[in-house]
Amino acid sequence: MSRTPFVGGNWKMNTGPESGPALAREVAAGAAEHPGCEVAVFPPFPFLLAVGRALAGSAVKLGAQDCYFEPDGAFTGEVSLGMLKDCGVSVVLTGHSERRHVLGETDALINAKTRAVLAAGLECVLCIGEKLEQREAGQTDAVNERQLRAGLAGVSAEQMARVTIAYEPVWAIGTGKVATTADAQDAHAKCRGVLAAMFGSAVAQATRIQYGGSLKPGNAAELLAQPDIDGGLVGGASLKASDFVPIIAAAAGRV
Ligand code: 13P
């Protein structure tokens, strides 16, 4: 089963009203050279509209880094999926490690958000991954399985067509430490096994699993050539088109 590679640029709490759209224009131009790879950028909320305008006419998708699961009401500081759709967002991250471990999001909240994204008709990138102490304690596979099962509870096999998994080992995010190719491939294959147990093998084979964690132009080709690694979710290296576009090229050239 061939899966179209998918590379996302998670800008986190970076860029500004001018640098965001400028980066988006450069990404759109670069991505157009590599049509074999699907691309999305995830700017901060205040710049969604401006980045969306910068992406107009390009195939690059506009993504949101987070959402709230309620449609409206007294939820100070939160942003609904209807609002994100009005901004042109088509794909939303849930469960990013910084939201789990810095902002304290639980598996239950992440599941509510994931189900709300899918109920709103959008695509979802559910992020999972173990912390260093969990890896060292031999718990990597158990943590990933728990986060997959909890995050995807109540999601149907049909909705899985709009789900991407991002495996981002927490100890590799923003640290310059990258999982070895063998460790990353092994974790991805295990995650696919969990998806097969949950949804059947056809869904598992069709679901894209991105790698995230210090992905750079220099390590992307080897990681993205692995059979179960279907693209990447990129943080730091997505902030410069000269770093991000070569990662897109590596994903598009995956054999
Ligand atoms: P870095 O690429 O900066 O390690 O961040 C990865 C990440 O968290 C993407 O969501």
Side-chain angles (χ1 to χ4, degrees), residues 190-237:
K190 298 260 172 48
C191 289
R192 204 174 300 287
V194 174
L195 295 177
M198 292 179 73
F199 298 104
S201 83
V203 168
Q205 286 304 314
T207 303
R208 291 172 303 184
I209 306 178
Q210 297 173 320
Y211 171 80
S214 298
L215 204 53
K216 305 256 179 308
N219 59 27
E222 187 177 325
L223 280 158
L224 301 181
Q226 299 307 302
D228 286 293
I229 302 183
D230 307 312
L233 189 56
V234 188

Coordinates of all heavy atoms in Angstrom, one line a residue, residues 190-237:
K190 N 5.5 -0.6 15.3 CA 4.7 -1.0 16.4 C 3.4 -0.2 16.5 O 2.3 -0.8 16.8 CB 5.4 -0.8 17.7 CG 6.7 -1.7 17.8 CD 6.5 -2.9 18.7 CE 7.7 -3.9 18.6 NZ 9.0 -3.3 18.8
C191 N 3.5 1.1 16.2 CA 2.2 1.9 16.2 C 1.3 1.4 15.1 O 0.1 1.3 15.3 CB 2.6 3.4 15.9 SG 3.4 4.2 17.3
R192 N 1.8 1.0 14.0 CA 0.9 0.5 12.9 C 0.3 -0.8 13.4 O -0.9 -1.0 13.0 CB 1.7 0.3 11.6 CG 0.8 0.4 10.4 CD 1.6 0.3 9.1 NE 2.5 1.4 8.8 CZ 2.2 2.6 8.5 NH1 0.9 3.0 8.4 NH2 3.1 3.5 8.3
G193 N 1.0 -1.6 14.1 CA 0.4 -2.8 14.7 C -0.8 -2.5 15.6 O -1.8 -3.2 15.6
V194 N -0.6 -1.4 16.4 CA -1.7 -1.1 17.3 C -2.9 -0.6 16.5 O -4.1 -1.0 16.8 CB -1.2 0.1 18.3 CG1 -2.4 0.6 19.1 CG2 -0.1 -0.4 19.2
L195 N -2.6 0.2 15.4 CA -3.8 0.6 14.6 C -4.5 -0.6 13.9 O -5.7 -0.6 13.8 CB -3.2 1.6 13.5 CG -2.6 2.9 14.0 CD1 -2.1 3.7 12.8 CD2 -3.7 3.7 14.8
A196 N -3.7 -1.6 13.6 CA -4.3 -2.8 13.0 C -5.2 -3.5 14.0 O -6.3 -3.9 13.6 CB -3.2 -3.7 12.4
A197 N -4.7 -3.6 15.2 CA -5.5 -4.2 16.2 C -6.8 -3.4 16.5 O -7.9 -4.0 16.8 CB -4.7 -4.3 17.5
M198 N -6.7 -2.1 16.4 CA -7.9 -1.3 16.7 C -8.9 -1.2 15.5 O -10.1 -1.2 15.7 CB -7.4 0.2 17.0 CG -6.7 0.3 18.3 SD -6.2 2.1 18.6 CE -7.7 2.8 19.0
F199 N -8.3 -1.1 14.3 CA -9.2 -0.7 13.1 C -9.1 -1.7 12.0 O -9.8 -1.5 11.0 CB -8.8 0.7 12.6 CG -9.0 1.8 13.6 CD1 -7.9 2.3 14.3 CD2 -10.2 2.3 13.9 CE1 -8.0 3.4 15.2 CE2 -10.4 3.3 14.9 CZ -9.3 3.8 15.5
G200 N -8.2 -2.7 12.1 CA -8.0 -3.6 11.0 C -6.8 -3.2 10.1 O -6.4 -2.1 10.2
S201 N -6.3 -4.2 9.4 CA -5.0 -4.0 8.7 C -5.2 -3.0 7.5 O -4.2 -2.3 7.2 CB -4.4 -5.3 8.3 OG -4.9 -5.7 7.1
A202 N -6.3 -3.0 6.9 CA -6.4 -2.0 5.7 C -6.3 -0.6 6.2 O -5.6 0.2 5.6 CB -7.8 -2.3 5.0
V203 N -7.0 -0.3 7.3 CA -6.9 1.1 7.9 C -5.5 1.4 8.3 O -4.9 2.4 8.1 CB -7.9 1.3 9.0 CG1 -7.6 2.6 9.8 CG2 -9.3 1.3 8.5
A204 N -4.9 0.4 9.0 CA -3.5 0.6 9.5 C -2.5 0.8 8.3 O -1.6 1.7 8.4 CB -3.0 -0.6 10.3
Q205 N -2.7 0.1 7.3 CA -1.8 0.2 6.1 C -2.0 1.6 5.4 O -1.1 2.1 4.7 CB -2.0 -0.9 5.1 CG -1.4 -2.2 5.6 CD 0.1 -2.1 5.9 OE1 0.9 -1.5 5.2 NE2 0.5 -2.6 7.1
A206 N -3.2 2.1 5.5 CA -3.5 3.4 4.8 C -3.2 4.6 5.7 O -3.1 5.7 5.1 CB -5.0 3.4 4.4
T207 N -2.9 4.4 7.0 CA -2.7 5.6 7.8 C -1.3 6.1 7.8 O -0.4 5.3 8.0 CB -3.1 5.2 9.3 OG1 -4.5 4.8 9.3 CG2 -3.0 6.4 10.2
R208 N -1.1 7.4 7.6 CA 0.2 7.9 7.6 C 0.7 8.1 9.0 O 0.0 8.6 9.9 CB 0.3 9.2 6.8 CG 0.1 8.8 5.3 CD -0.1 10.0 4.5 NE -1.2 10.9 4.9 CZ -1.5 11.9 4.2 NH1 -0.9 12.2 3.1 NH2 -2.5 12.7 4.5
I209 N 2.0 7.8 9.3 CA 2.6 8.0 10.6 C 3.9 8.8 10.3 O 4.8 8.4 9.7 CB 3.0 6.6 11.3 CG1 1.8 5.7 11.4 CG2 3.6 6.9 12.6 CD1 2.0 4.4 12.0
Q210 N 3.8 10.1 10.8 CA 5.0 11.0 10.6 C 6.0 10.8 11.8 O 5.6 10.5 12.9 CB 4.5 12.5 10.7 CG 3.5 12.9 9.6 CD 3.0 14.3 9.8 OE1 2.7 14.6 10.9 NE2 2.8 15.0 8.7
Y211 N 7.2 11.1 11.5 CA 8.2 11.2 12.5 C 8.5 12.6 12.9 O 8.5 13.5 12.0 CB 9.6 10.5 12.1 CG 10.7 10.8 13.1 CD1 10.7 10.1 14.3 CD2 11.5 11.9 13.0 CE1 11.7 10.4 15.3 CE2 12.5 12.2 13.9 CZ 12.5 11.4 15.1 OH 13.4 11.8 16.1
G212 N 8.6 12.9 14.2 CA 9.0 14.3 14.6 C 10.0 14.3 15.7 O 10.0 13.4 16.6
G213 N 10.9 15.2 15.7 CA 12.0 15.3 16.7 C 13.3 15.6 16.1 O 13.9 14.6 15.6
S214 N 13.7 16.9 16.0 CA 15.0 17.3 15.5 C 15.2 16.8 14.0 O 16.3 16.4 13.6 CB 16.1 16.8 16.4 OG 16.0 17.4 17.6
L215 N 14.1 16.7 13.3 CA 14.2 16.4 11.8 C 14.9 17.6 11.1 O 14.5 18.7 11.3 CB 12.8 16.1 11.3 CG 12.7 15.3 10.0 CD1 13.4 13.9 10.2 CD2 11.2 15.1 9.7
K216 N 15.9 17.3 10.3 CA 16.7 18.3 9.6 C 16.9 17.9 8.2 O 16.8 16.7 7.9 CB 18.0 18.5 10.3 CG 18.0 18.8 11.8 CD 18.2 20.3 12.1 CE 18.2 20.6 13.6 NZ 17.0 20.3 14.4
P217 N 17.4 18.8 7.3 CA 17.7 18.3 6.0 C 18.8 17.2 6.0 O 18.7 16.3 5.2 CB 18.3 19.6 5.3 CG 17.8 20.7 6.1 CD 17.5 20.3 7.5
G218 N 19.7 17.3 7.0 CA 20.8 16.3 7.0 C 20.4 14.9 7.4 O 21.1 13.9 7.1
N219 N 19.3 14.7 8.2 CA 18.9 13.4 8.6 C 17.6 12.9 8.0 O 17.1 11.8 8.2 CB 18.8 13.3 10.2 CG 17.8 14.3 10.8 OD1 16.9 14.7 10.1 ND2 18.1 14.7 12.0
A220 N 16.9 13.8 7.2 CA 15.6 13.5 6.7 C 15.5 12.3 5.8 O 14.7 11.5 5.8 CB 14.9 14.7 6.1
A221 N 16.5 12.3 4.8 CA 16.4 11.3 3.8 C 16.4 9.9 4.3 O 15.6 9.1 3.9 CB 17.6 11.5 2.8
E222 N 17.3 9.7 5.3 CA 17.4 8.3 5.8 C 16.2 7.9 6.6 O 15.6 6.9 6.4 CB 18.7 8.2 6.7 CG 19.0 6.8 7.2 CD 20.2 6.7 8.0 OE1 21.2 7.4 7.7 OE2 20.2 5.9 8.9
L223 N 15.7 8.9 7.5 CA 14.6 8.5 8.3 C 13.3 8.4 7.4 O 12.5 7.4 7.6 CB 14.3 9.7 9.3 CG 15.2 9.6 10.6 CD1 15.3 11.0 11.2 CD2 14.7 8.6 11.5
L224 N 13.2 9.3 6.5 CA 11.9 9.2 5.7 C 11.9 8.1 4.6 O 10.9 7.9 4.0 CB 11.7 10.6 5.0 CG 11.6 11.8 6.0 CD1 11.3 13.1 5.3 CD2 10.5 11.5 7.0
A225 N 13.0 7.4 4.4 CA 13.1 6.3 3.5 C 12.6 5.0 4.2 O 12.4 4.0 3.5 CB 14.5 6.1 3.0
Q226 N 12.4 5.1 5.5 CA 12.0 3.8 6.2 C 10.6 3.4 5.8 O 9.7 4.3 5.6 CB 12.1 4.0 7.7 CG 13.5 4.3 8.2 CD 14.5 3.3 7.8 OE1 14.3 2.1 8.0 NE2 15.5 3.7 7.0
P227 N 10.3 2.2 5.8 CA 9.0 1.7 5.2 C 7.8 2.2 6.0 O 6.7 2.4 5.4 CB 9.1 0.2 5.2 CG 10.2 -0.2 6.1 CD 11.2 1.0 6.1
D228 N 7.9 2.4 7.3 CA 6.7 2.8 8.1 C 6.8 4.3 8.5 O 5.9 4.8 9.2 CB 6.6 2.0 9.3 CG 6.1 0.6 8.9 OD1 4.9 0.5 8.5 OD2 6.8 -0.4 9.0
I229 N 7.7 5.1 7.9 CA 7.8 6.5 8.2 C 7.3 7.3 7.0 O 7.9 7.3 5.9 CB 9.3 6.9 8.6 CG1 9.7 6.1 9.8 CG2 9.3 8.4 8.9 CD1 11.1 6.4 10.4
D230 N 6.2 7.9 7.2 CA 5.4 8.5 6.0 C 5.5 10.0 5.9 O 4.6 10.7 5.5 CB 4.0 8.0 6.1 CG 3.8 6.5 6.2 OD1 4.5 5.8 5.5 OD2 3.1 6.1 7.2
G231 N 6.6 10.5 6.4 CA 6.8 12.0 6.4 C 7.2 12.5 7.8 O 7.5 11.6 8.6
G232 N 7.1 13.8 8.0 CA 7.6 14.3 9.3 C 6.8 15.5 9.8 O 6.1 16.1 9.0
L233 N 6.9 15.7 11.1 CA 6.3 16.9 11.7 C 7.5 17.6 12.2 O 8.3 17.1 13.1 CB 5.3 16.5 12.8 CG 4.5 17.7 13.4 CD1 3.8 18.5 12.3 CD2 3.5 17.2 14.4
V234 N 7.7 18.8 11.7 CA 9.0 19.5 11.8 C 8.8 20.8 12.7 O 7.9 21.6 12.4 CB 9.6 19.9 10.5 CG1 11.0 20.5 10.6 CG2 9.6 18.7 9.5
G235 N 9.6 21.0 13.7 CA 9.5 22.2 14.5 C 10.6 23.2 14.0 O 10.4 23.9 13.1
G236 N 11.7 23.2 14.7 CA 12.7 24.3 14.4 C 13.1 24.4 12.9 O 13.2 25.5 12.4
A237 N 13.3 23.3 12.3 CA 13.7 23.4 10.9 C 12.6 23.8 9.9 O 12.8 24.0 8.7 CB 14.3 22.0 10.4

